[in-house]
Amino acid sequence: MNSDVMKKGLHRAGSRALLYALGLTREEMDRPLVGIVNSQNEIVPGHMHLDEIAEAVKAGVRMAGGTPVEFPAIAVCDGIAMNHEGMKYSLASRELIADSIEVMARAHQLDALVLIPNCDKIVPGMLMAAARLNLPTIVVSGGPMLAGRYKGRRIAIINVGEAGAGVQAGLVTPEELQEMEEEGCPTCGSCAGLYTANSMNCLTEALGMGLPGNGTIPAVFASRRRLAKAAGRQVIRLLEQNLRPRDILTRKAFLNALTVDMAIGCSTNTMLHLPAIAHEAGIPLDLDLANEISQRTPNLVRLSPAGKHFMEDLHQAGGIQAVMAELYAHELIDGSAITVTGRTVRELLEGVAVMDREVIRPFESPYSPVGGITVLRGNLAPEGAVVKSAAVAPEVMHHIGPARVFESEPEAFQAVWEKRINPGEVIVVRYEGPQGGPGMQEMLGVTKALAGMGLDKEVALITDGRFSGATRGSSVGHISPEAAMGGPIALVQDGDLIEIDIHGGRLNVLVAEEELDRRQAEWKKPAPKIDYGYLARYAQLVSSAAGGAVLGRRQ
């Protein structure tokens, strides 16, 4: 065991004394030391209950003969951090999470890990650490929130945000908004739709790093605690079998995850996180794979914000295992991939059935014959851009309109809020990429305002920043290269015609090449928006969004 290096031998007497100071017995010290990484805090609703999950995990570890040792990880709530400076820190926190887990696990020579995340950047950050450390590891998330209820209909956080803009537009009363605020998030857990947090928890299951049910069992269900106990027991079996993350996080696992991603219409943020996790596992993952897989994968599930269903509905319909079974029956899933259960995907899917065909549609009658995410390329995005096509209305799948250029997300939001955006326009928000932001802000504040004012089917938005999984409408993000790196989005001027062709996979500015060359020659890199602290260091090291916005690979 790794931990023997600090527990055994005369020269380790001091280490043993410190372990005894924790209250450990000799028997506990002789067992494997399992790090329980708990991202609980009292500001993130998705994480407020994770102490309960951690206690269940620790019980499972002890039942299986291990000794759990808990340590924390930070967690940012994207919803609370949205639309102000705090959002610059969200994506950047992913790297801190991975790094801090590496530090703790290596410094204390832990034998195995159970990772307990729930929200947006915490899940991929922990998975990156798992792939990097390659210790026997299992992930168990805190589970999704239940949907709220307002005037007889179910709602989630996106509806509340859009209602705020509705008040500004005179479509919703302040009293109605207050009631929605109090009813929109009724339980702990990751927000109730298929936003980034739940997308990544579902893909953790599809990757094979979480037990069946990890993505969809609601946070408040007793079965979530039982799952946590099972995860604690299973990590000891992984240690005994020497089954490690890089045995699980193979190319076939990532292809399976991308296929599930397309079938259920995940957040576009998965196009940042899957490549970053794959990078840590040593697996090349090109963005173009997304379109290739999308072309052969029908969109079978549409949860909020793209549809009327919520995570609890997907759970009752059979969850991610049922989606995978439907895909496997049509030879779109590689059944030979191994999982943290110690069994293959094929073995796990035996006897699994879809329980609700309204939530998980049959392969033969999908919402769309192609997947829920599309990668666009063109003279505005030579390295690619990403759109959640499942959440785009048919009337704006192809859009040509004049550019309205903004140098930051707050500028764009103010223009929308003050009703200075006209139907048909294409909002261009730039210098919000990983380096230029820095931190690649989400644009949910802008898209919620557009939707709340009834403009989401009349206005498009393109950016080198990114979008929340709660975004709907013609919203194209991750434009690469970003403006701060001299990418073509930096050259767009007010009035330039922008063409967004989602079916055709194209994103272009309809300006002559000679004119773009002239503008490129005149372009000057702006001064950094933040020149101190963590974000300044992050901006100096972060790579393109096309490669997952990982650190240390920028050319």
Side-chain angles (χ1 to χ4, degrees):
M1 292 187 294
N2 285 347
S3 59
D4 285 349
V5 74
M6 65 176 182
K7 293 189 302 186
K8 293 191 174 181
L10 295 176
H11 60 304
R12 298 303 182 199
S15 297
R16 289 193 296 275
L18 290 168
L19 292 171
Y20 282 129
L22 298 174
L24 296 183
T25 65
R26 290 183 182 180
E27 292 80 7
E28 286 175 308
M29 285 172 56
D30 286 339
R31 296 172 179 175
L33 290 185
V34 180
I36 312 299
V37 188
N38 183 4
S39 56
Q40 190 272 345
N41 63 44
E42 294 183 348
I43 195 168
V44 183
H47 291 237
M48 62 186 291
H49 65 301
L50 294 189
D51 277 355
E52 298 175 34
I53 302 298
E55 288 304 316
V57 167
K58 288 189 279 189
V61 169
R62 293 188 183 104
M63 282 190 279
T67 298
V69 286
E70 182 181 337
F71 62 90
I74 62 170
V76 171
C77 178
D78 277 29
I80 296 174
M82 191 70 63
N83 198 217
H84 56 79
E85 185 186 30
M87 180 46 65
K88 294 179 182 293
Y89 288 87
S90 175
L91 179 61
S93 75
R94 186 188 70 180
E95 317 309 311
L96 285 176
I97 291 163
D99 290 349
S100 62
I101 294 171
E102 176 192 353
V103 167
M104 290 295 288
R106 290 292 187 221
H108 301 101
Q109 291 296 294
L110 300 176
D111 297 304
L113 296 170
V114 181
L115 308 177
I116 309 175
N118 211 27
C119 291
D120 297 43
K121 309 310 165 296
I122 302 88
V123 182
M126 289 192 176
L127 283 168
M128 290 165 68
R132 185 186 303 174
L133 290 163
N134 205 33
L135 296 171
T137 301
I138 192 167
V139 178
V140 57
S141 76
M145 182 185 289
L146 296 180
R149 290 189 177 273
Y150 174 72
K151 292 187 175 180
R153 68 184 179 100
R154 292 188 298 169
I155 61 172
I157 185 68
I158 182 62
N159 306 102
V160 181
E162 291 175 359
V167 173
Q168 177 73 357
L171 304 174
V172 178
T173 68
E175 293 75 22
E176 289 173 326
L177 176 61
Q178 176 67 33
E179 189 175 348
M180 289 182 74
E181 289 174 5
E182 294 178 5
E183 300 296 334
C185 299
T187 73
C188 60
S190 44
C191 296
L194 192 60
Y195 315 140
T196 304
N198 290 323
S199 293
M200 289 308 304
N201 284 324
C202 288
L203 295 188
T204 297
E205 190 176 331
L207 282 166
M209 287 297 294
L211 296 175
N214 179 74
T216 59
I217 298 174
V220 294
F221 280 19
S223 50
R224 175 59 62 176
R225 278 72 180 162
R226 292 196 294 272
L227 184 78
K229 290 179 182 177
R233 292 196 303 270
Q234 185 60 26
V235 78
I236 299 300
R237 299 189 186 104
L238 294 177
L239 182 61
E240 292 167 348
Q241 297 167 14
N242 196 30
L243 185 58
R244 297 170 181 261
R246 292 190 191 179
D247 300 321
I248 296 166
L249 293 172
T250 61
R251 183 170 177 81
K252 65 180 72 172
F254 284 101
L255 295 181
N256 282 349
L258 278 168
T259 301
V260 172
D261 193 338
M262 298 303 157
I264 65 178
C266 287
S267 162
T268 53
N269 281 318
T270 61
M271 296 295 103
L272 284 173
H273 300 322
L274 286 177
I277 299 162
H279 169 67
E280 295 288 354
I283 306 292
L285 201 64
D286 192 282
L287 268 184
D288 288 333
L289 271 174
N291 278 353
E292 180 184 324
I293 291 173
S294 179
Q295 287 304 307
R296 63 174 183 257
T297 306
N299 181 214
L300 304 178
V301 175
R302 286 204 176 167
L303 306 185
S304 173
K308 64 180 181 180
H309 298 119
F310 294 89
M311 291 301 298
E312 61 206 72
D313 302 313
L314 180 57
H315 175 61
Q316 297 296 341
I320 293 304
Q321 296 299 299
V323 174
M324 293 182 74
E326 185 76 3
L327 297 169
Y328 178 69
H330 292 83
E331 301 182 346
L332 293 182
I333 290 288
D334 190 328
S336 68
I338 195 71
T339 72
V340 288
T341 65
R343 294 186 287 167
T344 64
V345 168
R346 180 187 303 109
E347 292 169 323
L348 284 181
L349 297 181
E350 288 179 6
V352 173
V354 175
M355 306 303 293
D356 188 333
R357 283 298 185 182
E358 184 182 354
V359 177
I360 304 174
R361 286 195 173 181
F363 194 89
E364 296 76 18
S365 56
Y367 283 100
S368 166
V370 296
I373 291 177
T374 303
V375 174
L376 310 180
R377 289 188 185 269
N379 68 357
L380 259 183
E383 294 179 3
V386 181
V387 62
K388 186 171 181 174
S389 45
V392 179
E395 51 265 49
V396 285
M397 292 295 281
H398 184 253
H399 182 92
I400 297 177
R404 285 287 302 279
V405 180
F406 299 93
E407 308 300 326
S408 70
E409 185 266 352
E411 287 183 27
F413 176 79
Q414 199 64 31
V416 174
W417 199 249
E418 294 173 357
K419 304 177 185 177
R420 291 189 278 116
I421 300 298
N422 303 307
E425 291 181 329
V426 178
I427 300 171
V428 179
V429 185
R430 63 191 179 194
Y431 295 104
E432 290 290 8
Q435 180 191 155
M440 204 178 183
Q441 290 199 121
E442 288 186 346
M443 303 291 145
L444 182 59
V446 181
T447 57
K448 281 192 301 187
L450 287 170
M453 294 180 178
L455 289 171
D456 56 302
K457 295 180 182 178
E458 299 184 57
V459 171
L461 193 161
I462 68 171
T463 180
D464 53 5
R466 59 194 177 90
F467 293 102
S468 163
T471 295
R472 56 190 173 93
S474 185
S475 303
V476 180
H478 306 203
I479 291 176
S480 302
E482 62 174 292
M485 295 175 118
I489 189 173
L491 311 178
V492 177
Q493 298 180 359
D494 280 338
D496 288 347
L497 288 180
I498 306 289
E499 180 182 27
I500 304 168
D501 182 0
I502 296 174
H503 287 312
R506 296 191 301 270
L507 177 64
N508 290 296
V509 55
L510 304 182
V511 173
E513 186 176 343
E514 295 80 7
E515 172 62 12
L516 292 177
D517 289 342
R518 184 190 66 78
R519 296 179 190 178
Q520 185 77 65
E522 295 177 354
W523 178 81
K524 290 182 174 60
K525 186 180 179 71
K529 292 180 182 176
I530 295 179
D531 59 3
Y532 63 91
Y534 174 60
L535 283 180
R537 298 195 302 275
Y538 178 86
Q540 291 171 358
L541 294 171
V542 69
S543 70
S544 169
V550 298
L551 296 187
R553 289 203 308 166
R554 177 135 52 90
Q555 300 299 315

